[in-house]
Structure formats: structure tokens, C-alpha cells
Amino acid sequence: MLIDDDSDDREIFGEAVYDIGSSIIVETAWSASNALEKLNAMTTSLPDIIFLDINMPIVSGWDCLTLLKQDPALSSVPVVMFSTSAHEKEKLTAQQMGAAGLMTKRSSYESLKAHLRAIIDYFHGGELPAGFTGS
Amino acid sequence: MSDTGCGIPHDQLDRLFERFHRIEASGRSQEGTGIGLALVKELVRLHKGEISVTSEAGQGTTFLVSFPAGKDHLPQENIVSEISTGITPSENAYSIEALALAAGDQSSHANAVAVSAKQAGDRPTVLITDDNSDMLEYIQRLLSEKFEVVTATDGNKAMLQMLDRKPELVISDVMMPGLDGFGFVAAVRSHAALRSVPIILLSARAGDEAKVEGLKSGADDYLVKPFSAKELLVRVENLIRIIKIRLDTEKQFYQLFLQAPAIINVFKGREHVYEVFHPQNRLIFGEVDFTGQKLVDALPEVESQGIIEMLDRVFHTGVTIAKQEMPVTFINKDGKEERHFFNLTYQPWYDLRGNIQGVINFAVDVTTQVLAQHAIRESEQRLRSIITQAPVPMCIFRGQEFVVETANTQMLAFWGKTQDQVLGKSIFEGLPEIKGQGFEDILLNVYTTGERYAAFERPITLLRNGNLEKAYVNFVYQALRENDGTISGITAVAIEITDQVRARQKIEDAEEKARLAIESADLGTYEIDLATDKMHTSPRFNQIWGVADGVSRAELAERIHESDRQVRQQAHAKAQQTGALDYEARINAGEGTVRWVKIKGKVIYDVNSSPLTLLGVVQDITEQKEFSQQLSLQVDQRTIELQRSNQDLQQFAHVTSHDLKEPVRKIKLFSGRLQTEYASILPEKALGFLGKIQQSTDRMFAMIDGVLLYSSLNARQDQPQPVDLNELLTGIETDLEILINQKEATISSARLPVVEGWPVLLYQLFYNLVNNSLKFSKAQVPPVILVDYSSLPAGGIQLTVADNGIGFDQQYASHIFEPFARLNAKDDYEGTGLGLSLCRKIVERHHGSIKVESAIDAGTTFIITLPLKQPRHSLTDENYAY
């Protein structure tokens, strides 16, 4: 699942994941509340990974992360923070707030796909992708 | 004429005719005048004849007398033609005498005694001494009518009679066996009790020579036998009268003498018997009379005091001894020793014939004066000893020369002189350096007027231990008076107070300085007596508080602004602990004036550490307060501005790092997908455009990354590096190629130097400036951008970026460097509003400056100064949010 207010990013993300594996189901949400709404509506299964954009209006990615981690039903889902620029400070914050990792948004489609694939593989028992910070 | 008598011894023949010569130890009677043969010889001589004698002892004597015949050889006046038969009275007396001589009976003597006893009383007594009974009887008969007459037949008997009867007069024969007349006279004259009794010597020896001899022996008169009865009587009467007068005179004189105010003692003889014990002696010895006593018996205590020796000397040698203030110790009437002082003379006492009879002692008791003098001397001695022992400098100046008679060690120390240098010399000789310092007149005035002179803190320059030193002294000059009141010198007492004066002068200096400081600081001063709360305030204090003199402490406390009273209380509480008062408060200075004052005080404690006084100053700090309040307001304002600008910067960083990057990323991403996914179907030119897009987005990223780098500079430890500005500018031209071409702009630059700095930042700086010039160009005029530089005299360079653009009003010159500032409509001119603010930050980062000169439609010139070298660590010193 990707939570991002930017529709372009949601679109590219969906395309990229489909390119990686057509069997992977991608759910998207445009805001924190929308995401929670959708997650609460999932009765049979929860997403394997949640990608969460930091820079969102009203409820920021950080606030959203807090909400997710406060929800006992959702707290176990790994959350990868998604950010345009990756500062050391933000990496540290992500780690402290219980995120599984932090990934920078790519300005190249190929680069995006490569990173996403690595992260998805990791959470299916693969190697940690380069430039990814995980816990 | 020859006889058959006993004859005359041969050796006596020559003196046979001498008057009164008697041939002793012969068979002849003791009687005889001794003048018979002398008379014979005289008679023969008168008749110009001669007489001679021949004699053989035991056979007889023959006198041979021869006369010249006739009368022519005799003086005419002596010749008596008729021989008279009448007998003269003297012849009669002579014959009577002769008869009496022949008779010699003792009855008349016994009669005379009886008569004298019977008629003794007012009649004077006359003693007659003669070995010839006839003569005794004859004179007794002559005198008994008027005098009591006693008789004696020789000198020794006469002495006894004199002592017994005390006759007024003595008539004595010269020729007497045993003690003769001369011997008798001498005995009488040497007898103290009898010596003044007049003596008439009777003698058969006539002639001036004999008379002189008689008188010389001490007799008062001399009568030659035969004498007239009348003459004897007259002479006796005269002498008695004279002696009476003399005795009276003597008595009067003696009375006078006894009444003399001085002691006049007369000692007689070698034993120094008191002949006269003068009544004045009684003042010493009491009611005694030593007359007739030997000095050693009367006053045995004088024996060892040299008195007897002096008396002996005078008595034996006749010298006069005079002594002044001679001490003699007597045992007084109470048996105690008493010391007296006498001015005395011992002089010989001569009798009328010049024989020393004794010693006259003339003495004046000067004990009182001597003791007084002693007292004076002692008091002078005491004065000297006081001076010597005085704990303060003291000395005595003597005479008009002010000779240093005594000076104690303290005075010598004060003068810085030794005894040898000053003692016995005039003070102006001993201390020549004090000449001309005014002491001459002072001393002279004290000496002449006797007025005491006291000086306080008198400066004096003294040569002490080789240095001329200025000293300060308190001193007193006092006239030194003798017993009679005359001034003989000056005593000086001095106390050196140089240290005290110096210390006080220092204090005065310090006070003066403090006063000046207070005045120049415009401080008001006050003093509070903490026991009474009484206040003393200075005029300036009153002015600050708007009060009058004598304001009470409570009144002042009331004037403190209500909200500052707590401050005052706390300050006073603290002052009780620390002794120092310090606070600021607002006061009501009257007439609605409120002033800020600063009060500083100090508590003065007494010896027991209890607070005595509070000394304080007050300063009007209203202006300072207002100023600082204004300053504080300004600071607050600035702080707000700064905070806002910090926020701006944060926002800017945020925008740069996130929002700005997002669209660029997307351009990059989608143009990238166009290139990769649709390259086969796109025309060649479209692929070229895609390439430009890709290039621009990359540059854009670089810019954004540069700013991000700038924001996070303090976290990095980048060192500045040399930057070639020419290369830098070329790079910018390439980056802006599209815009430059589009605007047909011309960029020209001089050959620029290499400066030290951060390439990314300097790139950003010039990129922004050039971009700015292109952006704000005139619509129909191709932009011309000129980059130039010059070296600065103080080091570093000045760069100018000038254009021919639209320009702006110079009044906004400083405004345009503020972040997000816009002078033009967003629709006409694109821009984030960050460009120039970034430029300013970058220049400042490089320790340079940037300013702008512009006018509307007249182009814009940015002027940048930069150092050629950057100081180390410069970027990390500054504290930026990012």
C-alpha cells in the first residue's frame, strides 16, 4: 500500500509495482485518513508493506506513522517512509518512530523500479537493497 | 766730800748719777728716790762745774765737786742776786713728800681704807700705788677730799686691789720693787676687766723722753715728781671725767653695736673667749649668753668646721679672712643640727697700741638667701633633668644668641643632629638651615616680651641625615625667667607631626578627588545617622529628589514608587548583611515628575561593629533608563525580526528541499520515461528537446542540492578552495544558454581572478545575479551584462555585475535583498523571491559585502566585495539553523 497525496506518484508507483510483478496487489490512499479508512475496511488481509509519503498536507507522514503504530491491528505492518530528499535526521526519526525504513523518491523510473523490487524482495526474505535504511 | 760708808761697787760707779738708778743688793735702805745724785750732777752742770766720784767697797766714798769762780760763765737770766728764804708750794709738797718718805707709818694706810669704806658710793675710787709710804700718804691726803682712795705698795698688790675695788683711776709710781709701774700698766692693759681703767704714772724722771716712754707703756698720763698737788688733782678729775665720758660713749656705742642687724662677735685672746656675744646670735641659739666663754666650750660643734683655725690664723698673723656663704652647722636649742650660711669676716682686733687683742667676727646670716639660691639651682637642675627625661623633644635656649644649653635626645633626633653639633652653640649656628624660616623673630619676640608662643603644624625644613626634609611641628616657646623676673632664655617643647600632617593631606586630597568625582558625576550625596534617622543631604541630592534641606528619611521612603518599594526593602535588608546598599528605583520627584535613581551606599560601623552611619550617593539615571528601555524595545523588535527571518530561512530551506524538488523530479521522471519508452516514435527534434529538459532538470537539481548544501553547511567541515571565476561564469552562461539566446543577451566579462571560496555557493551567487539581469531586462532591448572587477587597496576584490535592465527605485535598494521580496508583478516576472537574499547570504558567508545601485529604466549594478583568502573555520563559527 502507498499513502501519498501526489497522484502522479501514486500512478507511477502502481505502474512500477505492476512491472515488478503483476500478481502484487497495490492499494493506494491520498491521505492518512483515507489510508486508515481503507485499512480498517480490510477484513481478510492487511498489506504486506506500507509506503508512506512524509510530505503530506494536514496530516503529515510522521503523524500518520504514529497513528499506524498506535493501532494494535496495524502496528505489525512494516512501514517504509517515502521522501523526496533523505536527510540523516529524517532517517533517524523514522527509525525512532518505528518505521521499517526510509526510501527516497526517484527521479528516474528505472531507478524507482529497481529500488521497489529490492524492498519487496527483502520483505519476502531477500537482501537489503542498497540505499535503504531498515531496521 | 768723803765718807766711810759701805762704798759703791766699782762697776756701779758709772751709773751712780743716772736718775732712778739704785744700787741693789747693797746694805743701803730700800727707800730713796734714786734721783739724789742725778740732781746733784744736774745742779753742778747748771753751775758749769764738774762732779766725780771715787769709792772703795767697804771703805767709803769720795765725791769731788769743782766750780769755776765768779758768775760770768753763767747765763745772765739765771743769776739771782738775792737768795730768797720763802718756800714755794711745790717745795712745800716736796718737803712733805720727803717727810712722808721718812715717816713711812702704816696707820695712815689703815685710815685711808676706813675712810674709803665709810665714804664709798657716788664718789669715784682712786687707787694709789707707791712703795714710798710718805708719797702714798701725801697723795691720799690730796685726793681723799674728793675721791675714795685705796692704796697699794707695789704692782701685784695693786692688781688685786683693782680687781677687788674696781677703781675709776689708778695713780702709780714707776719705781717700785717687784712689779714696777710699767709692768703694772702692761698687766692692767692686758686684763680684760681692768684694761680700760685710766692710769697716771708718777715718776721722778723728768724729760720728754721719759714721759713718752711712760705713755707708750699704756699709761694715760705721766706726772714728774715733784708735781703740784693742784695739778695732780686736776689731772685726776679730768681723767675720771674723760673716762666717764668715754665709758658712756662706749656704752652708747656698744648699745648701737649690739643693735646692729648683723652679728658682731668679739673674741678675745688666743682662747677666743667671747668678749662680745652679739644679741643677734640669739636668733640662732636662743636666750643664751656666751660672753666670757671660750668658743670651743660654748659651741663645741664648730671645732671640726674650720672656724677655730681661722680665728687662730687671724689672731696670730693679723690677716683678715672673709668668707661668702660659708656653711656652719650648729646644734640648735632643740639639740638638732641646724645649717646656716654666713657672709663673714674675721678681722684682728687691735688695742690702741696696735696689739692684737682678739678677733672681731662680723657675720650676716644669709641662710635664707643661700637656701633660696640652692632652691633655684635645684629647680634649674630639675628643669634640666625634666628636659632630659621628657618623652617629647625639649630644649633650652640661653641668652639673646639662643645658645642651646640643654637638648634631650628626642630634640636632637628631631633636629637630626648630634650633641656636639648643637650644644653650646646658637641654634642658628647648630642648625644653619633654619635661618630665614622665621624662627629668629619668634624667638626674639619671646625673649624680649616674655610672651609665650605656640605654633600648630608649623612647617620647618631641616637638614636631617644629610637630606633637606620638610617637617611639620607643633611647638611652644616659653620665656625662662630668673628669680628676679628677668628673662634669661627660652624653653622649647616640640612635637613632630609630619606623618600625621602628611596622612591628613592625603586624606584631604582623596576627599577633594572624591568630591570632584561626585560633582563631575552629578551625584547627590547623603548621610543618615542610623541611630536617629537624621539625614544630611547635598544640594544635588535635594535637586534630584525635588526636596528641601532637612527632609526626613520617612518622607523620602514615601517618594519611592510603590512598585519599587519592595526593591528598596530588599536592598536595605541586604545592606544589613553586607554593609553595601545598591538599588535602582523610580521616585516621585514632585510636580508629577518621575525619575529613575540609582542609589549606592555604604554602612559605617563603630568600633563595636554596630552600624553608625549610612553614607550614600544618588544618581539620576532616568535618561539611561529611558534609553535602555528604548534599546530593549529595539532589541525585542530586532529579535522578532530575526526570528521571522530565521523562520523565513527555515521555510526557504523547506521549500527548497521538498516542494521545489518535487516538480523538478517529476519533469525529470516523465521526460526520462518519454526518452526511454517513446524514443522510437518521436522525431529527432523532439528527442533533442527532451535532452534539453533532462539537462535543465539536472541543473535544477544541482542548484537545489547546492542550496541544501548551503543550508547544512554548519554541519559540514568543508574547507574553502580556489575558484576560478572565469570558469564559473562560463558554466553559468552554458546553463542559461536558452534564456540568453531567447533574450539575445550579451554577457561580457573581464579576465577575472581566482578567489578562495565554496564553488557551489559562488556559482549560485553569480547564477542568480546573471539570471536576475536576464529576467529583469527591458522588453524590446537585448540585455547586455557586464562583469568586471578591481582590486581593493585594503585587500580583496570588488566585482561588479552591471546590466541595462529595467532597474528599480534606489530607495528599495536594501529591500531587494530580503527573502521573498518582490518589486514586480508575479505574472510579468517569474521568481521565487529568494534569489537576491541568497546572494547576500553567500557574500556574507564569504566575508564580503553586496550592495546595489539602480534607477528605474537605467539598469542595475551589483557591487560585490570579496576577500581573496577565507579565514579558516569561518563557516563553522556561524550558527545557522541548517
Side-chain angles (χ1 to χ4, degrees):
Chain A
M1 185 182 215
L2 170 68
I3 307 166
D4 197 333
D5 64 319
D6 191 315
S7 56
D8 289 341
D9 277 337
R10 287 199 303 272
E11 191 182 324
I12 293 164
F13 184 86
E15 273 186 66
V17 173
Y18 183 80
D19 282 355
I20 292 163
S22 55
S23 61
I24 302 171
I25 301 158
V26 175
E27 279 287 344
T28 58
W30 59 85
S31 71
S33 54
N34 180 237
L36 287 170
E37 204 176 296
K38 286 187 172 174
L39 284 167
N40 287 335
M42 294 177 187
T43 50
T44 52
S45 62
L46 285 170
D48 293 307
I49 308 165
I50 295 171
F51 290 88
L52 178 56
D53 181 26
I54 292 170
N55 193 20
M56 286 193 299
I58 307 166
V59 180
S60 74
W62 298 119
D63 295 337
C64 184
L65 176 63
T66 307
L67 291 171
L68 290 172
K69 289 298 162 192
Q70 278 174 351
D71 190 329
L74 303 172
S75 64
S76 59
V77 181
V79 179
V80 174
M81 301 306 287
F82 211 37
S83 172
T84 311
S85 61
H87 289 283
E88 292 297 321
K89 195 174 139 198
E90 286 176 334
K91 287 177 188 169
L92 193 68
T93 310
Q95 202 176 356
Q96 285 171 342
M97 291 181 68
L102 187 142
M103 182 192 158
T104 48
K105 292 183 178 176
R106 301 290 143 170
S107 53
S108 141
Y109 187 63
E110 296 305 320
S111 168
L112 174 68
K113 281 199 287 186
H115 265 85
L116 281 175
R117 186 179 292 120
I119 290 167
I120 291 163
D121 288 351
Y122 170 73
F123 284 104
H124 278 86
E127 290 290 313
L128 190 68
F132 179 79
T133 310
S135 56
Chain B
M1 185 182 289
S2 297
D3 63 39
T4 56
C6 58
I8 301 162
H10 207 262
D11 57 337
Q12 299 278 327
L13 281 177
D14 289 349
R15 303 186 64 193
L16 193 62
F17 298 104
E18 279 181 29
R19 200 179 295 181
F20 304 113
H21 186 81
R22 292 206 209 184
I23 310 299
E24 306 259 349
S26 68
R28 292 167 67 96
S29 151
Q30 279 192 352
E31 290 186 18
T33 60
I35 57 171
L37 288 174
L39 186 62
V40 169
K41 192 183 179 186
E42 193 64 17
L43 290 170
V44 171
R45 195 182 57 85
L46 281 170
H47 289 85
K48 308 292 183 196
E50 285 176 1
I51 183 166
S52 62
V53 62
T54 53
S55 182
E56 283 294 326
Q59 290 185 17
T61 305
T62 300
F63 290 92
L64 179 68
V65 180
S66 59
F67 296 109
K71 58 177 181 183
D72 297 341
H73 57 281
L74 299 172
Q76 200 58 42
E77 68 271 17
N78 285 359
I79 296 169
V80 179
S81 50
E82 283 179 31
I83 296 167
S84 164
T85 53
I87 298 166
T88 62
S90 64
E91 281 168 343
N92 187 36
Y94 194 76
S95 39
I96 291 165
E97 187 191 11
L99 285 169
L101 280 168
D105 74 346
Q106 298 296 311
S107 61
S108 63
H109 191 218
N111 288 346
V113 171
V115 168
S116 76
K118 182 181 73 196
Q119 295 181 334
D122 48 349
R123 296 206 312 174
T125 304
V126 176
L127 172 68
I128 307 162
T129 310
D130 206 325
D131 57 341
N132 188 307
S133 56
D134 293 340
M135 188 59 97
L136 264 184
E137 208 168 316
Y138 168 63
I139 299 171
Q140 190 178 358
R141 215 167 33 244
L142 278 177
L143 301 179
S144 56
E145 221 174 292
K146 289 194 173 170
F147 306 102
E148 284 301 316
V149 178
V150 288
T151 60
T153 50
D154 64 38
N156 289 325
K157 283 176 185 152
M159 286 296 286
L160 292 171
Q161 283 284 34
M162 280 186 80
L163 289 169
D164 182 30
R165 300 295 303 273
K166 306 236 183 322
E168 267 75 22
L169 184 126
V170 177
I171 300 166
S172 173
D173 189 14
V174 173
M175 300 295 292
M176 286 186 293
L179 185 60
D180 70 3
F182 294 130
F184 170 67
V185 169
V188 170
R189 290 290 176 252
S190 64
H191 194 287
L194 307 174
R195 62 184 174 215
S196 58
V197 178
I199 300 172
I200 300 171
L201 276 180
L202 291 176
S203 176
R205 287 180 67 196
D208 290 343
E209 210 173 299
K211 190 174 184 180
V212 167
E213 194 188 347
L215 291 173
K216 218 174 177 180
S217 72
D220 295 278
D221 210 344
Y222 189 90
L223 279 176
V224 179
K225 296 184 219 174
F227 51 82
S228 108
K230 237 182 199 166
E231 189 184 0
L232 178 69
L233 205 58
V234 169
R235 288 201 180 210
V236 167
E237 279 176 341
N238 280 349
L239 273 174
I240 285 177
R241 200 176 66 247
I242 287 164
I243 198 72
K244 194 168 181 298
I245 290 165
R246 202 181 85 196
L247 283 172
D248 286 351
T249 312
E250 257 182 25
K251 212 169 179 181
Q252 279 175 3
F253 178 74
Y254 186 62
Q255 284 304 316
L256 210 64
F257 168 89
L258 290 182
Q259 287 162 19
I263 297 165
I264 305 164
N265 287 324
V266 179
F267 297 99
K268 183 163 178 146
R270 60 184 71 249
E271 301 279 1
H272 315 305
V273 174
Y274 270 104
E275 176 75 11
V276 175
F277 179 74
H278 197 273
Q280 284 280 323
N281 282 309
R282 298 205 172 102
L283 294 175
I284 302 166
F285 304 112
E287 288 304 314
V288 291
D289 187 350
F290 295 154
T291 308
Q293 290 189 40
K294 288 180 193 169
L295 177 61
V296 283
D297 294 340
L299 298 167
E301 64 265 29
V302 303
E303 206 166 359
S304 55
Q305 301 187 43
I307 310 263
I308 307 291
E309 289 77 359
M310 283 196 286
L311 286 166
D312 285 346
R313 203 164 140 234
V314 174
F315 186 82
H316 292 295
T317 66
V319 296
T320 297
I321 294 175
K323 286 272 180 194
Q324 295 288 315
E325 295 175 12
M326 177 166 170
V328 184
T329 304
F330 298 114
I331 306 294
N332 69 7
K333 54 188 183 238
D334 303 323
K336 300 226 172 91
E337 283 196 352
E338 206 173 287
R339 200 167 145 96
H340 285 260
F341 292 89
F342 296 99
N343 287 347
L344 52 79
T345 52
Y346 289 113
Q347 60 189 68
W349 167 36
Y350 294 100
D351 61 16
L352 293 175
R353 286 171 303 279
N355 298 317
I356 294 172
Q357 295 199 78
V359 177
I360 300 169
N361 164 220
F362 182 88
V364 178
D365 189 339
V366 291
T367 308
T368 318
Q369 293 91 313
V370 169
L371 289 180
Q373 272 176 4
H374 282 190
I376 290 165
R377 223 170 289 148
E378 269 172 35
S379 93
E380 277 184 10
Q381 196 61 46
R382 236 183 351 256
L383 176 65
R384 214 160 287 142
S385 117
I386 285 167
I387 286 170
T388 311
Q389 291 164 17
V392 295
M394 283 186 83
C395 70
I396 296 177
F397 301 125
R398 276 290 176 198
Q400 208 154 355
E401 295 299 312
F402 310 112
V403 170
V404 180
E405 183 188 85
T406 309
N408 63 6
T409 49
Q410 284 85 348
M411 187 58 101
L412 291 169
F414 168 62
W415 287 336
K417 297 283 189 293
T418 63
Q419 279 205 346
D420 296 344
Q421 285 173 303
V422 291
L423 278 196
K425 292 178 187 167
S426 163
I427 184 67
F428 298 108
E429 193 187 332
L431 274 68
E433 67 269 21
I434 67 162
K435 272 191 220 162
Q437 293 191 38
F439 294 97
E440 293 92 335
D441 291 344
I442 297 168
L443 283 165
L444 196 62
N445 191 57
V446 175
Y447 191 80
T448 48
T449 65
E451 284 169 18
R452 182 173 173 276
Y453 182 88
F456 182 68
E457 286 185 16
R458 178 70 150 78
I460 177 172
T461 304
L462 289 166
L463 183 65
R464 294 198 281 205
N465 312 313
N467 301 316
L468 269 179
E469 293 176 9
K470 188 166 190 182
Y472 292 89
V473 64
N474 290 348
F475 68 86
V476 176
Y477 287 153
Q478 197 137 19
L480 193 58
R481 287 179 191 276
E482 290 303 295
N483 230 17
D484 59 2
T486 56
I487 296 166
S488 69
I490 290 172
T491 54
V493 183
I495 296 171
E496 182 170 3
I497 47 154
T498 309
D499 290 346
Q500 292 92 312
V501 170
R502 292 264 155 78
R504 205 200 57 230
Q505 282 176 346
K506 264 187 198 161
I507 290 167
E508 283 171 358
D509 283 355
E511 278 177 357
E512 177 66 12
K513 277 179 193 157
R515 195 180 60 75
L516 280 174
I518 285 167
E519 275 179 12
S520 59
D522 218 8
L523 298 174
T525 58
Y526 68 98
E527 189 180 334
I528 303 172
D529 183 332
L530 291 172
T532 62
D533 267 1
K534 255 199 144 160
M535 290 200 74
H536 282 288
T537 58
S538 74
R540 176 61 187 148
F541 180 95
N542 297 343
Q543 196 187 357
I544 291 171
W545 286 76
V547 295
D549 253 342
V551 66
S552 76
R553 200 181 174 186
E555 255 178 273
L556 289 173
E558 278 295 308
R559 280 176 176 265
I560 305 254
H561 195 285
E562 263 178 51
S563 31
D564 290 337
R565 283 184 192 162
Q566 181 109 25
V567 172
R568 175 181 174 271
Q569 271 180 358
Q570 283 169 353
H572 274 282
K574 197 179 165 201
Q576 283 186 346
Q577 310 278 320
T578 63
L581 181 71
D582 188 1
Y583 69 98
E584 291 176 3
R586 277 158 292 178
I587 57 162
N588 169 19
E591 293 168 7
T593 312
V594 174
R595 283 204 178 101
W596 268 102
V597 293
K598 183 175 180 62
I599 291 163
K600 256 179 169 314
K602 194 170 162 54
V603 181
I604 308 295
Y605 300 91
D606 68 7
V607 284
N608 302 318
S609 303
S610 24
L612 210 63
T613 316
L614 176 66
L615 291 178
V617 293
V618 60
Q619 186 183 10
D620 183 349
I621 54 163
T622 313
E623 272 179 38
Q624 288 98 304
K625 272 284 172 187
E626 279 171 0
F627 180 72
S628 72
Q629 272 176 343
Q630 249 174 353
L631 205 66
S632 154
L633 274 175
Q634 278 179 0
V635 167
D636 288 351
Q637 208 175 336
R638 292 278 160 80
T639 308
I640 291 163
E641 279 171 19
L642 203 65
Q643 281 169 345
R644 201 177 59 211
S645 105
N646 272 350
Q647 276 175 347
D648 290 346
L649 197 67
Q650 278 176 25
Q651 201 182 342
F652 162 71
H654 183 78
V655 166
T656 310
S657 60
H658 297 279
D659 301 350
L660 208 64
K661 220 171 171 181
E662 277 296 309
V664 181
R665 187 176 53 83
K666 282 183 188 168
I667 295 165
K668 174 89 176 159
L669 194 140
F670 286 115
S671 62
R673 283 190 76 182
L674 264 179
Q675 268 186 323
T676 52
E677 292 174 30
Y678 302 100
S680 56
I681 58 165
L682 286 173
E684 193 67 21
K685 204 170 181 183
L687 288 172
F689 288 158
L690 278 173
K692 291 283 182 196
I693 292 167
Q694 287 284 303
Q695 211 177 1
S696 292
T697 50
D698 286 346
R699 184 64 63 199
M700 189 66 130
F701 272 123
M703 246 179 76
I704 292 166
D705 286 341
V707 174
L708 281 171
L709 177 71
Y710 165 71
S711 311
S712 58
L713 266 181
N714 64 333
R716 302 190 178 189
Q717 295 290 325
D718 291 39
Q719 290 303 321
Q721 55 194 80
V723 178
D724 186 337
L725 294 177
N726 300 294
E727 281 178 22
L728 193 92
L729 208 59
T730 310
I732 288 164
E733 281 179 50
T734 311
D735 287 344
L736 293 170
E737 196 188 336
I738 297 166
L739 192 59
I740 290 166
N741 290 341
Q742 187 195 324
K743 296 239 177 183
E744 298 171 352
T746 314
I747 299 174
S748 59
S749 74
R751 177 82 202 152
L752 300 173
V754 174
V755 299
E756 208 174 59
W758 290 265
V760 177
L761 297 183
L762 288 175
Y763 178 89
Q764 190 72 56
L765 168 65
F766 287 99
Y767 182 92
N768 284 358
L769 291 176
V770 172
N771 195 30
N772 231 46
S773 292
L774 293 171
K775 196 158 69 179
F776 297 104
S777 60
K778 289 174 181 167
Q780 303 303 322
V781 182
V784 176
I785 300 166
L786 190 66
V787 181
D788 204 356
Y789 95 100
S790 62
S791 290
L792 290 171
I797 54 164
Q798 178 176 290
L799 287 155
T800 51
V801 178
D803 65 41
N804 58 345
I806 57 171
F808 60 90
D809 192 334
Q810 180 69 27
Q811 63 173 306
Y812 303 115
S814 55
H815 189 61
I816 64 163
F817 294 108
E818 287 171 17
F820 311 114
R822 282 179 168 278
L823 297 177
N824 299 286
K826 203 174 177 178
D827 294 343
D828 300 337
Y829 298 97
E830 291 177 45
T832 59
L834 280 169
L836 289 177
S837 63
L838 252 176
C839 287
R840 190 173 66 182
K841 298 283 179 198
I842 291 165
V843 169
E844 284 171 358
R845 286 291 86 187
H846 285 81
H847 301 92
S849 67
I850 184 166
K851 60 179 182 178
V852 64
E853 286 174 1
S854 188
I856 292 167
D857 290 334
T860 301
T861 303
F862 287 94
I863 302 157
I864 300 150
T865 61
L866 285 174
L868 287 172
K869 294 269 175 197
Q870 291 296 321
R872 303 292 106 171
H873 318 299
S874 64
L875 288 167
T876 54
D877 286 344
E878 306 297 327
N879 191 13
Y880 264 75
Y882 283 87

